[in-house]
């Protein structure tokens, strides 16, 4: 054992939604866990002021909410302005295609919740900070070295030794790069513009998404009556929109949503996120597993990226805990392969579907425009199909980790 090197069973690199959720799910396992994250936790502001909404906001589906319920943070999220939405309307700006999803169709109170990422991260941190098995290193991963008895990890400020290394370090994952795991990268040549707005008419706890050839614009309903917009469009167009002053930008948003909620007022700063689809060719390597955006990244049009990462965390936690119960080494390739087999294929299906959806709406071909109108309208008028899709998208049915399943699943 090297002097000055901290030894752990599991080292999770990245304290975002995926990494922190995994740490929390393993917090009762008795395993010693390190979380390496350069940004000090809790994130600032710890308790955001009434009008101080963060720009990174996620639509959290019912499966992820059950994971949060399992962790015991659902009440804190609901208290911290998680905004439930009961309806979602999606339409095509270039045809009469329209579909509405309704929580009533799946006998649920909500279709999902709009929550600031920072609030989720701080709520998870709150419940695990006092757990003696989890140690936080405010640091960055620099390098790794495989040893006969584990992996030695070089951080900016120290060294760790671990039996298993989990890369939860996001789209530019250093763990993935050091493990030399290639990724398939598909660029959409799109950028998502994000900002908070007030609309003339109330959003009625409904999420709205209008598809243009250049990409979709979504209005996500917030608790205080304002909305968060995610406007994904071609990067040239996003650059032009970014140049507009608030008044002109508000007008552009209103036009893009075809005045559905009337006039728009900009309430805060804007941010731009370049979009790409990325899939790691493997989720595992010797003593290494990737979760969340480190393993996959998709277009935000279905609001799924964080939800998929949370399911990765749930499946990996369940797989490791089961290996422990059966006295099998949790870092063995057989254990890790079980995780990869469960998640990689499912994520690939969703990534492919999102890419096809995006390409389908981008097409200007009149044939394809009427085809997608026909498809969307037929689903809208078929209660069985619509309910099936809603159950899958919200995480009521499908191949879910146990932690994310409804009680009567
Ligand atoms: C505009 C937009 C809207 C979106 N909307 C939704 C939505 O509505 N619903 C949804 O489900 N998803 C949504 N997503 C996707 C979602 O935001 C991401 O999938 C999710 O945040 C990824 O979480 P993560 O924990 O995997 O990675 P990250 O959030 O990227 O966290 C990675 C962490 O790793 C740390 N890190 C990086 N490098 C190192 C290093 N070398 N050493 C140590 N730590 C390191 C970082 O500091 C970071 O904290 C959206 C994405 C965008 C861009």
């Amino acid at each position: 054992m090297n002097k000055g090197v901290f030894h752990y069973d599991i080292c999770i690199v990245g304290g975002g939604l995926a990494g922190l959720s995994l740490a929390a799910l393993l917090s009762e396992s008795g395993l010693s866990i390190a979380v390496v994250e350069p940004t000090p936790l809790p994130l600032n502001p710890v308790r955001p002021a009434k009008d101080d909404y963060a720009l990174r906001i996620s639509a959290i589906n019912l499966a992820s909410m059950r994971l949060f319920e399992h962790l015991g943070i659902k009440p804190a999220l609901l208290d911290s302005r998680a905004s439930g939405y009961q309806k979602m309307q999606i339409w095509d700006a270039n045809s009469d295609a329209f579909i509405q999803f309704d929580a009533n169709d799946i006998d649920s109170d909500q279709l999902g919740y709009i929550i600031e990422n920072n609030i989720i991260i701080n709520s998870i941190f709150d419940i695990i900070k006092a757990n003696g098995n989890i140690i936080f290193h405010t640091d960055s991963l620099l390098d790794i070295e495989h040893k006969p008895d584990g992996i030695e990890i070089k951080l900016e400020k120290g060294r760790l030794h671990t039996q298993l290394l989990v890369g939860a370090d996001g789209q530019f994952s250093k763990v993935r790069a050091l493990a030399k795991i290639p990724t398939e990268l598909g660029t959409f040549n799109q950028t998502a513009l994000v900002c908070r707005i007030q609309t003339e008419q109330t959003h009625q706890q409904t999420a709205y998404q209008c598809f243009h050839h250049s990409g979709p614009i979504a209005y996500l309903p917030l608790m205080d009556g304002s909305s968060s917009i995610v406007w994904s469009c071609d990067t040239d167009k996003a650059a032009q929109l970014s140049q507009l002053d608030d008044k002109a930008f508000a007008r552009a948003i209103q036009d893009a949503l075809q005045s559905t909620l009337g006039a728009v007022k900009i309430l805060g700063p804007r941010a731009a996120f370049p979009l790409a689809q990325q899939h790691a060719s493997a989720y595992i390597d010797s003593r290494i597993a990737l979760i969340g955006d480190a393993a996959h990244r998709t277009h935000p049009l279905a609001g799924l990226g964080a939800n998929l990462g949370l399911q990765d965390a749930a499946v990996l936690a369940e797989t490791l805990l089961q290996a422990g119960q059966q006295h099998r080494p949790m870092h063995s390739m057989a254990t890790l392969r079980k995780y990869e087999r469960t998640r990689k294929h499912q994520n690939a299906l969703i990534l492919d579907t999102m890419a096809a959806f995006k390409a389908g709406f981008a097409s200007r071909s009149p044939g394809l425009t009427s085809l997608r109108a026909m498809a969307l309208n037929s689903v809208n008028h078929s209660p069985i199909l619509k309910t099936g899709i809603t159950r899958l998208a919200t995480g009521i049915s499908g191949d879910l980790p146990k932690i994310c399943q409804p009680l009567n699943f």
Side-chain angles (χ1 to χ4, degrees), residues 12-20 35-39 41 43 55-61 64 85 113-115 117 121 137 139-142 155-156 167-175 178 191-194 220 229-232 271-275 291-310 312:
I12 301 168
V13 175
L17 293 175
L20 270 197
V35 176
V36 178
E37 166 60 48
T39 312
L41 295 170
L43 299 170
L55 275 165
R56 293 302 301 267
I57 284 173
S58 295
I60 293 297
N61 68 16
S64 298
Y85 59 98
Y113 295 82
I114 308 296
I115 318 180
N117 293 11
I121 287 173
H137 293 263
D139 212 331
S140 288
L141 169 73
L142 291 184
L155 304 178
E156 266 177 19
D169 48 346
Q171 54 177 304
F172 304 113
S173 171
K174 184 92 179 171
V175 174
L178 291 169
T191 295
L193 298 176
V194 174
L220 307 175
I229 65 137
V230 181
W231 190 351
S232 308
F273 300 91
L275 301 178
I291 62 171
D293 276 20
H296 47 75
R297 207 174 138 212
T298 184
H299 198 285
L301 68 88
L304 277 177
N307 292 297
L308 298 181
L310 292 167
D312 295 345

Side-chain angles (χ1 to χ4, degrees), residues 52 60 64 68 87 100 114 130 132 137 170 178 199 216 236 239 241 272 326 356 389 391 406-407:
D52 184 14
I60 293 297
S64 298
F68 295 147
K87 290 194 174 106
Q100 171 162 292
I114 308 296
H137 293 263
L178 291 169
T199 51
D236 290 351
L241 289 168
Q326 297 171 351
I389 292 174
R391 287 173 62 85
L407 285 176

Side-chain angles (χ1 to χ4, degrees), residues 139-157:
D139 212 331
S140 288
L141 169 73
L142 291 184
D143 207 355
I144 58 172
E145 193 181 336
H146 281 271
K147 301 276 184 187
D149 61 343
I151 296 182
E152 195 159 301
I153 295 171
K154 189 175 169 214
L155 304 178
E156 266 177 19
K157 296 182 266 185

Side-chain angles (χ1 to χ4, degrees), residues 184-205:
E184 271 176 40
L185 182 66
T187 171
F188 296 117
N189 191 26
Q190 288 212 322
T191 295
L193 298 176
V194 174
C195 89
R196 191 168 143 250
I197 59 163
Q198 185 63 53
T199 51
E200 191 179 6
Q201 286 146 33
T202 60
H203 52 53
Q204 298 182 353
Q205 297 306 129

Side-chain angles (χ1 to χ4, degrees), residues 20 35 45 96 122 174 206 367 372 383:
L20 270 197
V35 176
D96 64 351
N122 283 352
K174 184 92 179 171
T206 299
R372 70 178 179 243

